[in-house]
Each structure stands twice: as C-alpha cells, then as structure tokens.
Amino acid sequence: MMLQDIHSHFVYGVDDGAPDRAHMQQLLDAAYHQGIGLLMATPHVVPGVEPFDGALFQAHLA
C-alpha cells in the first residue's frame, strides 16, 4: 500500500517549506524511506492576504 501525504510544505524557498534545495531533498528522501509514495505540495496561498510567487514555486518544484 502506498502512503500519501496530502498536506506538505517541502518546496524550498516558499512560505514555511524547506530553506534550501538540499533540505528539500532530505525531506523527500525521508518521506520515501517512510513509505510515502505521493506528496502533495500545499503552499500557503491566500489571495490578497499572504503574498505568493507562483513562478518561484513552480521553478523550485521542478
């Protein structure tokens, strides 16, 4: 059975996610070793309340 994490802040440099790419990779590796096969990136997006850079998010997710 594949485990899923449907609320995760692993994307680096976005809201309270990982501070850098290396830390993001550590988080992804840890999830994998715990049997998590699906992670959903869920940054804080509240239009007009909390700034969100969609282009930065997509670039760092890639």
Side-chain angles (χ1 to χ4, degrees), residues 10-25:
F10 61 87
V11 179
Y12 73 100
V14 179
D15 58 53
D16 59 353
D20 54 48
R21 187 181 178 107
H23 191 89
M24 180 178 82
Q25 189 61 54

Side-chain angles (χ1 to χ4, degrees), residues 3-6 8 10 27-28 31-32 36-41:
L3 298 175
Q4 302 175 5
D5 183 344
I6 63 170
S8 186
F10 61 87
L27 293 172
L28 295 173
Y32 174 80
I36 298 173
L38 176 69
L39 281 170
M40 294 184 189

